[in-house]
């Protein structure tokens, strides 16, 4: 079981990653001309493609923006739209990673299994990672998920009781979700699946202490959440006790003028995100696809990735010209 241990090897690896990241950042914001930086740092093809199978989410998390996905139509990605992306990348012999679904819960899409099965059949060896709130992952859904051989399933478990969990996730039932999580992990273990379990925790206490300075009588039940999961998780799984609580749900009200280095820039150079309507956007913080750099219904992924719209966006990002990009970059808290 991996619970963010502090082993020497892990510290050394983390230090090397930080050094590599800092060296890239220094290169990005040096006086070297943009064209040279773009040539050396921009990946030839996306290393990760994130498919938003649905922008709907029933969890209503306290730390998520209330207007998330509100300006995207349709709300669910059709099989035909997903097929366009998958077929394009199959023809290119794509070796990168697929992520499902980064901006909503995928299992609200009635075609989720048809889409993901088609994806897995086309890319038998590629990494497949699934994000979910676990609200709909009953035993039948769990069996289908595990048949797809995902590399990992990622979710939050933000409380150890109904009171604390449902304070953070107002749209979900604690008992139902807890049973879904435990049954999923037990099934994973029983069939010896290699699917990793990655759990993030944002307790009601931590959220309130961070943003309200008043914990409203809650105690931090993070360790109680770990105790619920501990009997079932195994080596390679990861429980992130103190993940960062972002400010993205407050950015519109804060309306800060961004002038710092974009913390997401390395990811932006390697990933792309596809909304249910086919719009391609460069960053997960653009949860309404407000800055799209193309649409897979009209252009190929390679054309979008190396296209003028994306290149112009990256140039402004490298130069910290956030006002030229506009919202949400101009008020982004990352």
């Amino acid at each position: 079981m991996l619970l963010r241990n502090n082993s020497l090897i892990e510290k050394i690896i983390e230090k090397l990653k930080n050094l590599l990241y800092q060296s890239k950042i220094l290169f990005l914001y040096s006086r070297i001309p943009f064209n040279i930086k773009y040539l050396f740092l921009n990946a030839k093809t996306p290393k990760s493609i994130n498919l938003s199978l649905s922008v709907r989410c029933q969890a209503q998390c306290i730390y998520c923006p209330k207007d998330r996905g509100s300006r995207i139509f349709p709300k669910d990605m059709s099989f035909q739209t997903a097929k366009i992306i998958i077929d394009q990348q199959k023809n290119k012999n794509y070796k990168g990673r697929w992520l499902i679904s980064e901006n909503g819960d995928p299992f609200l899409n009635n075609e989720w299994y048809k889409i993901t099965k088609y994806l897995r059949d086309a890319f038998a060896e590629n990494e497949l990672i699934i994000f979910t709130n676990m609200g709909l992952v009953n035993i039948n859904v769990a069996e289908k998920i595990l048949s797809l051989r995902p590399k990992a399933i990622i979710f939050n478990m933000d409380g150890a009781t109904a009171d604390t969990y449902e304070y953070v996730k107002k749209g979900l039932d604690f008992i139902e979700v807890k049973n879904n999580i435990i049954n999923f992990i037990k099934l994973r273990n029983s069939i010896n699946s290699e699917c990793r379990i990655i759990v993030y925790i944002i307790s009601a206490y931590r959220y309130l202490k961070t943003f309200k300075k008043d914990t409203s009588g809650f105690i931090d039940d993070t360790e109680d959440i770990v105790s619920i999961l501990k009997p079932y998780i195994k080596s390679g799984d990861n429980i992130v006790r103190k993940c960062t609580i972002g400010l993205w749900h407050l950015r519109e009200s804060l309306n800060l003028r961004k002038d710092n280095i974009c913390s997401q820039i390395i990811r932006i150079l390697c990933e792309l995100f596809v909304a249910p309507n086919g719009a391609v956007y460069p960053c997960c913080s653009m949860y309404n696809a407000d800055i799209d750099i193309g649409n897979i219904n009209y252009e190929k992924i390679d054309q979008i990735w190396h296209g003028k719209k994306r290149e112009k966006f990256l140039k402004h990002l490298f130069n910290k010209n956030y006002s030229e990009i506009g919202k949400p970059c101009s008020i982004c808290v990352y």
Side-chain angles (χ1 to χ4, degrees):
M1 177 177 61
L2 177 60
L3 297 178
R4 284 289 186 202
N5 65 66
N6 294 315
S7 68
L8 180 61
I9 293 173
E10 190 178 50
K11 285 182 177 179
I12 292 171
I13 291 171
E14 197 61 34
K15 186 134 186 137
L16 289 171
K17 283 182 180 177
N18 287 336
L19 285 171
L20 179 61
Y21 176 81
Q22 291 300 328
S23 66
K24 286 182 177 180
I25 290 294
L26 287 171
F27 182 66
L28 269 171
Y29 292 104
S30 67
R31 294 182 178 274
I32 296 170
F34 167 76
N35 289 344
I36 296 175
K37 290 187 282 191
Y38 179 76
L39 178 67
F40 278 96
L41 290 176
N42 186 48
K44 289 184 173 62
T45 188
K47 294 182 180 179
S48 291
I49 297 177
N50 302 263
L51 300 184
S52 181
L53 297 197
S54 179
V55 294
R56 297 183 292 138
C57 184
Q58 76 280 42
Q60 300 174 42
C61 299
I62 197 169
Y63 47 75
C64 280
K66 287 185 169 50
D67 66 334
R68 187 178 183 181
S70 63
R71 295 189 289 278
I72 296 176
F73 299 95
K75 299 300 181 186
D76 298 338
M77 183 177 288
S78 69
F79 174 76
Q80 288 305 316
T81 298
K83 187 175 183 296
I84 291 170
I85 307 164
I86 295 164
D87 289 348
Q88 279 185 17
Q89 294 309 100
K90 185 178 180 181
N91 290 336
K92 291 288 182 179
N93 197 25
Y94 177 65
K95 300 295 185 185
R97 180 172 62 174
W98 294 92
L99 285 86
I100 311 286
S101 157
E102 69 82 28
N103 193 24
D105 194 82
F107 307 115
L108 289 167
N109 184 327
N110 291 331
E111 294 190 297
W112 79 266
Y113 182 69
K114 183 180 180 181
I115 291 170
T116 317
K117 177 72 164 56
Y118 187 80
L119 171 64
R120 178 45 92 201
D121 288 345
F123 297 94
E125 302 303 324
N126 295 53
E127 282 190 11
L128 174 65
I129 295 174
I130 297 173
F131 290 82
T132 176
N133 58 46
M134 296 299 287
L136 295 173
V137 184
N138 57 39
I139 198 66
N140 292 328
V141 173
E143 288 173 352
K144 288 181 178 178
I145 292 170
L146 290 169
S147 74
L148 297 166
R149 298 179 292 105
K151 177 79 172 178
I153 186 165
I154 302 174
F155 56 88
N156 275 57
M157 188 170 179
D158 297 325
T161 66
D163 285 344
T164 56
Y165 183 86
E166 291 170 18
Y167 182 87
V168 177
K169 286 178 156 46
K170 301 182 185 304
L172 295 176
D173 180 273
F174 169 70
I175 297 299
E176 184 178 15
V177 173
K178 184 179 81 167
N179 289 338
N180 286 349
I181 291 170
I182 291 172
N183 290 335
F184 181 91
I185 302 175
K186 287 169 73 174
L187 178 63
R188 185 277 307 259
N189 294 345
S190 71
I191 64 173
N192 293 317
S193 166
E194 295 182 359
C195 176
R196 291 183 66 206
I197 308 296
I198 301 176
V199 187
Y200 290 92
I201 299 173
I202 299 175
S203 67
Y205 174 89
R206 281 189 61 229
Y207 178 86
L208 289 166
K209 190 175 181 181
T210 302
F211 294 110
K212 307 290 186 183
K213 311 304 178 186
D214 174 12
T215 58
S216 299
F218 286 122
I219 61 169
D220 191 357
D221 59 353
T222 297
E223 292 308 315
D224 295 327
I225 299 167
V226 174
S227 295
I228 291 171
L229 298 171
K230 192 173 181 180
Y232 310 103
I233 60 176
K234 63 182 183 180
S235 176
D237 294 337
N238 195 356
I239 299 178
V240 186
R241 287 174 165 94
K242 292 187 177 180
C243 64
T244 303
I245 309 174
L247 286 166
W248 68 328
H249 64 305
L250 298 174
R251 70 186 182 195
E252 291 289 341
S253 59
L254 292 172
N255 200 29
L256 299 173
R257 184 176 178 182
K258 184 177 176 69
D259 58 6
N260 59 307
I261 291 170
C262 173
S263 66
Q264 302 296 307
I265 194 164
I266 301 301
R267 283 188 65 191
I268 289 168
L269 287 163
C270 300
E271 297 187 56
L272 61 76
F273 301 81
V274 186
N277 58 9
V280 177
Y281 52 105
C283 178
C284 61
S285 295
M286 300 171 185
Y287 50 78
N288 272 309
D290 295 312
I291 300 174
D292 74 80
I293 52 174
N295 192 301
I296 56 92
N297 289 300
Y298 314 112
E299 304 164 85
K300 293 183 178 179
I301 293 281
D302 280 359
Q303 292 172 324
I304 295 170
W305 187 254
H306 297 288
K308 293 296 182 184
K309 286 181 76 172
R310 182 170 177 272
E311 185 177 337
K312 182 180 178 182
F313 168 79
L314 289 175
K315 187 171 185 178
H316 286 315
L317 202 64
F318 286 9
N319 294 326
K320 296 191 287 186
N321 292 332
Y322 303 119
S323 60
E324 292 295 323
I325 300 172
K327 291 183 178 181
C329 289
S330 60
I331 59 169
C332 184
V333 293
Y334 296 116

